[in-house]
Every structure is written in structure tokens, then in C-alpha cells.
Amino acid sequence: MAESSTLTPTREVLGRLAAAVKVLRATKLPEAEASAQALVDLGAAGRAPKPPEKSMLDQARSSILAAAQSRAYTQVPAKYLREAPWLLWAVKQPLAGLPGLLDAVVALAMRHGSVRRKLIQAWLLGFDANAPMIEAAGHAIRRLLAETPDARLDAWRNVDRALNLFDARFGPRRVADAILTAQRSVAAILQEVGLDDPVQAGGGYARAVQGEVLMQFATTLPKAHPDEIVARCLAFLAPGGRLRFEEPGAQGAVARGLLAPWLRGGSPPSDATRAEIQAFLLRALGDPRLRPQHWREAGDEATALMRRWLARASLKLFFDLIDDYALDDHWRYREAFWAACLNKGLIEDAWLALGKRVFASARALKDLNGAYARLEGASGDQSVLLMRIGSYVFCDWSHNGKLRAWQADWKNAPHLGARSYSRDDLTGKGLPFPPNAQFGSRGAPDGDGLSHIGSKRSYWQGSAAELIARRTGVRLSPTDWMPR
């Protein structure tokens, strides 16, 4: 009896639970709370809309063009008119110039959130300050933001208030200024203005912002911390390490913009700034001495400046290599002399020819990135420095080699940029070195080269400086060329 009385309540409880389960199974429960689902829907709808398939756009275009003659856009099927924003500034046959079409699209956008978002994305993607109706569309978008209580557009409202994003004339300039100088990261700014989207990253608005970034770079750099400005600029120009726009014209504009602060003189950049920009341009466009075609769109001035920067790097590496391989203790005098020429702006280009052992050195392979030549028929430890000074080529050897010079247009003058040189290529008869009575220099009148003797007395330097002065008009003094 005791066992029976104990089990009875348990059976009753189980029975009630089974009945409850039947009720629950018969009831259709919501998959998520209404508030949570609203957030999911909001996020999905807030994503940047993408253009539809080409076939849909072709059908929409045909329907819109048919209605354009009478401006009867209300006769265009709704499914086609909703896609009209993508056609307003399309790459091929843009329709923004059709009378009344933008007004019809804006009227539709007043009623449909999806059309509002498409209009915003299409405006950013096809942006060109000179495109038909682009400015009017920007004003219309601002009106839509002000007059429609669409929470999904709050991010656009905020960024337009902060940066005038939809002002076709000043928006790109304000965004560029933020990219270069704002406290927020470049990535955060791009996310705010929608240019972090893979499609928009290469769109018209991004291109306009890049033009403004490059234009402002030269004026912004002296006013702030140069290293930070350079880093922010490069982060925008090459997201993920690749140029945002890679066609030749855009590459040339990048080179001109980054070198602009020094194209008209002014204070030279710090070594860190020069190295950062130089390394970036070498990755983006290649070495102008090896790939001149990549620099054609950059212009002569920018290319010449880059060559001078590379000449500086080549000289530095040359003397570093000499420290590793040469036994001549006079090299500090030669380094000081050519550094003086470099600082006077005389050396426009430089190229190295390296002996077998030096050619294979880790330092040469890493620092010159292939921009040097092999020296054949000479000691494996020997190297040659070729320099372009005005319309003349100078050739200096490591170890006990002589200094030689030629007019660049002479047939036996070595050309900078070759991949290999023989000893004969670099020892042909050249210009005579004149005497310099001030230092007792007798020069080298036979054209067979100037020996590096009397370095401490400026003996050979005086003769070399006299040749340079007569040929270029630039005079050097011992204050310039003696080691410090």
C-alpha cells in the first residue's frame, strides 16, 4: 500500500507534463523575439545594395529610354524604375542627363527605402564632379535624408553632417582632409563614408577623394608630423598593399602627388620620410631606371627626383659595400667628395656595377632590389660607381681604379642602367682632367683617368672639382668635400 500511494502523485505529474508537451507541439512559437528580429532585418537591409544582373539593367534601360521621349516614367514597370539609380551614372550610356529622370527616381525614393539606398550607392560609385546631375543628385540625397525618418540612413546622416559627404564640390575634399589629419584611423574613416566596401573602394567617389588626398599632401606635410601624414596617405592609396587604382594615369598621379613637396625645391625630406615614400613607389611603379615605361605618366620632374633619390641610395650602398670588400683607406675621401656633389644636386642618376662576390652579397640583393649590374672581367671584390652629372658620365672604381669621365653622347661612354659591363666598357679614353693650381693638382691630360692621390691635400679632388666646375658651372670647395 505504501508503494502505491507514493507512485500515484508521480504518475499524475508525468501525465500533466505529457499534456503540456502536446500543447506546445501544437503551438507555433516565434523563431526569435520581435525586437531581436527587427535588429537582424535592419542589419540586412542596411547592407550596401549591389547592382542587379546585367540582363535586368539592360531591360530597365530599354524601358526607361522608351518612356523618356514623353517623360512618362510612371509608365515604366516598377521593378525597372527601382533599378534606375544604377543607370544614372553607369560607365556606358549613363542616363542621368535624360530630362526628368532624376526627379522620377527621387520621387520614388521618397516612398521606398530600397531606392534611397540604391541612389546613395549609385551616386558614390559613379561619382564624377563633372558628371550630369551629380551635384543636383547630391542635394536630392540630402533632402531624402532630412525628410524621410528611415533609421537605416542614420549613418549617412551623421557622416554628411560631419564631412559634407554628399556635397559634390566640397565633400571629397573634406573626406581627404580627414584621411590625412583626423585623430581616427584611416580604416575607421573609410568605414564611416562607405569606402571600405570592396565595390565602392574603387568607385568614382574614392577616385575623387584620392585626387584630393594627393593634392593636399604637399601642403599638409609641413604642418604636421611628416611620418604620420605619410603613413596615413599610403594607407589610403594602397589598401592591402596594392594601389587602389592601378591604371598608368593613376599610377603617375600617385608618384607626382607623393613627390610634389620636393618638386619645387624646399627643405629636403628626412631620411625616414624619403625611405618610406621611395620604398612605396618602388613597390607600386618599379624602379624608373629599370621600368621607365611605368613612370612615363608621372612626368619628367617626378621621375628625375625619384632618380636622384635612388642615386643617393645607390651611393650609400656603394660605400657600404666598399667597407666590406675594398682595402683602400682613401675611400672616406671619395665618399665625402661624391656626397658633396649629391648635396649640391649635381648627381642626377647613379648605377652600380658589382664584381662577382659583391654581386651575390645579401646586402646588394636586399637593398638594391635588382637595380644594379654585374661587372665582368674584374676582381670579384671590385665594384664601379657610374654617375650622371649634367650631360656627363663619371665612373669611379673601388680598390685602385681611376676616376674617368665622358660626355654622355660619346660612343664609348658607358650607359647607366645596363645589366652587365666588361672592364673595357668602363676604361675607354675619356675627358682630360684639368690642373688646379690652388691645390697643386696637375690633373690627367691624357684622358686615361685621374688617380686618387693626395686625398688629404685635396690633390685629386681639386682636379675633379675643376672639371665639374668648367662643365656644369657649379663650384665645390674643400669645405664641401673634406670628410668631417
Side-chain angles (χ1 to χ4, degrees):
M1 293 290 295
E3 183 179 355
S4 176
S5 62
T6 303
L7 292 176
T8 298
T10 303
R11 291 193 182 99
E12 292 177 356
V13 171
L14 291 174
R16 287 196 296 269
L17 285 174
V21 168
K22 289 181 180 179
V23 172
L24 289 174
R25 286 176 177 171
T27 304
K28 186 176 182 180
L29 296 176
E31 295 180 3
E33 291 186 12
S35 58
Q37 187 62 45
L39 290 176
V40 172
D41 293 342
L42 183 62
R47 294 177 188 144
K50 307 298 182 188
E53 295 294 329
K54 181 179 180 299
S55 58
M56 168 65 87
L57 287 178
D58 288 343
Q59 293 169 20
R61 183 189 301 279
S62 297
S63 183
I64 291 169
L65 287 173
Q69 295 180 358
S70 59
R71 300 194 192 182
Y73 297 112
T74 55
Q75 298 178 7
V76 176
K79 66 177 181 178
Y80 293 149
L81 195 57
R82 289 194 194 101
E83 305 304 337
W86 303 116
L87 300 171
L88 291 173
W89 303 283
V91 175
K92 294 183 179 179
Q93 199 180 359
L95 302 184
L98 291 179
L101 179 58
L102 177 62
D103 292 337
V105 170
V106 172
L108 190 63
M110 281 288 185
R111 303 191 302 273
H112 298 281
S114 63
V115 180
R116 289 192 286 272
R117 295 191 297 278
K118 289 174 185 177
L119 180 59
I120 289 172
Q121 294 296 335
W123 189 82
L124 292 170
L125 188 62
F127 183 90
D128 181 331
N130 299 315
M133 305 303 291
I134 202 76
E135 189 170 352
H139 293 315
I141 290 171
R142 293 179 125 178
R143 190 168 71 253
L144 289 168
L145 295 178
E147 297 179 9
T148 57
D150 189 343
R152 290 167 293 190
L153 301 181
D154 282 347
W156 293 122
R157 292 187 184 94
N158 293 336
V159 74
D160 186 56
R161 280 194 292 266
L163 298 175
N164 292 337
L165 181 70
F166 297 108
D167 186 321
R169 289 191 298 170
F170 300 109
R173 189 181 308 171
R174 292 285 305 278
V175 175
D177 180 66
I179 286 171
L180 290 175
T181 64
Q183 297 297 315
R184 307 183 303 286
S185 70
V186 173
I189 293 167
L190 295 179
Q191 185 177 34
E192 291 169 12
V193 299
L195 298 186
D196 61 328
D197 176 79
V199 175
Q200 293 291 359
Y205 204 90
R207 189 180 294 275
V209 170
Q210 175 162 304
E212 291 289 344
V213 165
L214 293 171
M215 192 178 301
Q216 294 182 31
F217 181 70
T219 55
T220 304
L221 196 66
K223 301 175 184 177
H225 300 290
D227 294 345
E228 181 179 347
I229 298 299
V230 170
R232 294 181 69 88
C233 183
L234 300 188
F236 173 78
L237 294 175
R242 291 188 59 179
L243 285 180
R244 186 179 294 272
F245 302 101
E246 295 185 310
E247 66 271 20
Q251 290 180 343
V254 166
R256 285 194 306 276
L258 292 178
L259 297 172
W262 306 283
L263 289 180
R264 297 289 185 269
S267 301
S270 68
D271 289 344
T273 296
R274 182 191 295 112
E276 184 76 9
I277 293 176
Q278 177 179 301
F280 177 84
L281 290 175
L282 285 176
R283 290 194 302 270
L285 279 78
D287 192 315
R289 300 169 299 186
L290 299 174
R291 296 180 174 86
Q293 70 278 11
H294 292 180
W295 282 79
R296 199 166 292 123
E297 296 292 337
D300 293 340
E301 289 183 321
T303 303
L305 177 59
M306 184 65 173
R307 282 177 173 269
R308 290 196 295 274
W309 282 14
L310 292 171
R312 179 181 294 273
S314 293
L315 259 70
K316 182 181 184 304
L317 181 62
F318 182 71
F319 291 112
D320 287 346
L321 292 170
I322 295 305
D323 285 342
D324 291 343
Y325 292 95
L327 303 176
D328 191 340
D329 62 358
H330 293 165
W331 265 104
R332 66 190 187 98
Y333 293 97
R334 300 193 212 180
E335 181 176 6
F337 183 85
W338 296 121
C341 292
L342 189 69
N343 292 333
K344 290 283 187 178
L346 288 166
I347 301 178
E348 301 171 12
D349 205 351
W351 191 252
L352 304 185
L354 310 177
K356 184 176 181 180
R357 284 188 59 198
V358 187
F359 186 90
S361 74
R363 180 181 295 179
L365 292 172
K366 174 179 178 293
D367 293 356
L368 283 174
N369 195 30
Y372 54 95
R374 184 186 296 273
L375 179 60
E376 309 285 359
S379 166
D381 292 340
Q382 204 158 22
S383 299
V384 170
L385 171 63
L386 291 167
M387 294 162 286
R388 181 72 177 259
I389 297 179
S391 57
Y392 304 91
V393 175
F394 285 73
C395 173
D396 214 352
W397 288 70
S398 66
H399 295 65
N400 296 316
K402 293 182 178 181
L403 171 64
R404 291 175 171 82
W406 302 263
Q407 286 189 190
D409 58 358
W410 285 5
K411 289 184 177 181
N412 69 331
H415 296 281
L416 276 66
R419 303 306 298 183
S420 67
Y421 299 89
S422 68
R423 185 176 185 85
D424 291 343
D425 292 333
L426 305 173
T427 55
K429 189 171 287 292
L431 292 166
F433 282 83
N436 190 323
Q438 181 181 354
F439 305 103
S441 306
R442 296 182 180 178
D446 57 7
D448 287 334
L450 179 68
S451 296
H452 300 85
I453 59 175
S455 295
K456 295 180 180 178
R457 295 180 287 112
S458 295
Y459 190 85
W460 70 266
Q461 298 99 310
S463 181
E466 184 62 24
L467 175 63
I468 290 172
R470 293 183 184 184
R471 301 288 175 166
T472 69
V474 178
R475 289 203 166 270
L476 301 169
S477 71
T479 304
D480 300 312
W481 70 58
M482 290 302 287
R484 291 174 174 78

